[in-house]
Amino acid sequence: MLINGKTETQVEATDRGLQFGDGLFETVAIKNGQPCLWRRHMERLLSGCSRLGITPPDSSQLFDEVIKELGEEQQGVIKIIITRGPGRRGYRPQPNGEPTRIINWSKEPVFPEQVYQRGIVARLCATRLGWNPALAGLKHLNRLEQVLARSEWHDPSIQEGLMMDAADRVIEGTSSNLFTVQDGKLYTPDLSRCGVAGIMQGLVMEVAEELNIPLIITDISLQDVWVADGLFVSNSLIGIWPIRELSGQDFAVDAIPGKLIETILTRGYSNE
């Protein structure tokens, strides 16, 4: 693990990331010794820093530190954490604070190949996402809603849980974005109130446009989910996972355009 470019495993107890969850993170797939979708991850990270008023990191420096942390490793996952840095007691941030950079490598997750052909089993979570437009879309460090939601099940056959907001709108998975398929069109939830704007979600939207697949960003009710022809989730590590069963209801995996999945599996691991 690298902390501010040095091999460390500890941060200061006064770090605002520890004290308040005051920071952001990116989870980046590593293929053939290179970070995938690096430009997109950096754009989201820098945009998040701007919205939170955190001094943005130097993306070239981060890249060099990622390569240093990888060493001889060719595959895996890099997690980048940027906090506002150490601070005095109290919520008010100090001006001109020095952010903390944390970079950590972990082994590549192993997913059964069959999940891409047969789909996954998912469930609805009881834990709801709260509305906060000021934080909506950000991949910030405050993930307790997701922690509670993921703690709701221990069945290894269930790979993901879908989360709703207080108005019963379906927003996202615990660690993924949601798409529904209906009559040849793709729908993905409006994330202006809550939820994380995913890197892979953005790529799916771009590829859908290239393939002339209509895509609509809108509120998605639970009823919209139940009547959908197909469902799938996405993130930077899994690419696209079709959902074959949600809380006991079956969905058609072949409702998802095969060309979309094929393109994402290729483009999702590029270093663009």
Side-chain angles (χ1 to χ4, degrees):
M1 180 182 294
L2 294 179
I3 300 178
N4 295 327
K6 299 178 181 179
T7 302
E8 304 256 5
T9 58
Q10 299 175 336
V11 296
E12 292 188 39
T14 57
D15 194 286
R16 291 177 62 90
L18 173 63
Q19 295 277 352
F20 308 121
D22 190 357
L24 302 151
F25 72 102
E26 295 288 332
T27 306
V28 185
I30 302 297
K31 297 291 182 181
N32 301 316
Q34 293 295 313
C36 302
L37 303 178
W38 179 255
R39 174 183 59 81
R40 296 169 187 266
H41 281 288
M42 288 302 99
E43 287 176 353
R44 181 172 67 177
L45 180 62
L46 296 180
S47 174
C49 285
S50 176
R51 286 176 60 184
L52 294 181
I54 294 174
T55 302
D58 183 305
S59 57
S60 296
Q61 181 185 43
L62 278 184
F63 184 86
D64 291 342
E65 291 176 352
V66 165
I67 298 303
K68 178 180 177 182
E69 170 68 1
L70 285 176
E72 299 298 318
E73 301 293 346
Q74 294 294 299
Q75 316 291 334
V77 178
I78 282 286
K79 185 170 185 178
I80 300 171
I81 300 174
I82 303 295
T83 81
R84 200 180 298 273
R88 301 192 188 107
R89 184 184 179 280
Y91 292 131
R92 183 181 179 181
Q94 294 175 241
N96 304 316
E98 186 65 32
T100 300
R101 307 183 310 278
I102 303 171
I103 298 178
N104 186 40
W105 173 87
S106 58
K107 291 183 179 180
E108 182 179 29
V110 179
F111 305 121
E113 187 64 28
Q114 64 186 20
V115 300
Y116 296 98
Q117 286 80 38
R118 297 186 59 238
I120 66 167
V121 177
R123 72 188 299 277
L124 288 172
C125 296
T127 303
R128 300 303 177 98
L129 292 164
W131 291 356
N132 190 340
L135 296 177
L138 295 179
K139 200 171 179 71
H140 55 73
L141 294 177
N142 295 274
R143 295 291 114 197
L144 281 178
E145 292 168 330
Q146 287 76 14
V147 169
L148 291 175
R150 186 57 188 86
S151 299
E152 291 181 20
W153 81 92
H154 304 283
D155 183 348
S157 69
I158 298 174
Q159 286 85 11
E160 180 58 300
L162 299 186
M163 300 183 69
M164 295 179 285
D165 65 10
D168 291 339
R169 299 182 184 92
V170 184
I171 303 297
E172 61 188 2
T174 62
S175 60
S176 63
N177 290 105
L178 173 69
F179 291 83
T180 69
V181 184
Q182 184 71 50
D183 299 326
K185 299 178 181 179
L186 298 184
Y187 297 82
T188 196
D190 176 7
L191 302 179
S192 61
R193 305 177 190 91
C194 57
V196 176
I199 297 299
M200 190 59 66
Q201 178 194 34
L203 182 58
V204 169
M205 294 167 69
E206 288 183 19
V207 171
E209 182 177 7
E210 293 171 9
L211 297 176
N212 294 315
I213 301 172
L215 187 144
I216 300 165
I217 301 172
T218 186
D219 290 336
I220 295 181
S221 69
L222 193 54
Q223 180 62 23
D224 293 330
V225 170
W226 293 137
V227 301
D229 298 327
L231 308 172
F232 66 91
V233 292
S234 67
N235 73 27
S236 296
L237 300 185
I238 66 175
I240 287 178
W241 277 357
I243 295 177
R244 75 169 187 269
E245 180 186 326
L246 173 65
S247 293
Q249 177 167 323
D250 294 332
F251 290 88
V253 172
D254 59 7
I256 303 165
K259 186 63 175 177
L260 179 69
I261 297 177
E262 177 185 332
T263 305
I264 291 298
L265 287 177
T266 300
R267 293 262 298 277
Y269 298 119
S270 68
N271 59 0
E272 62 174 17

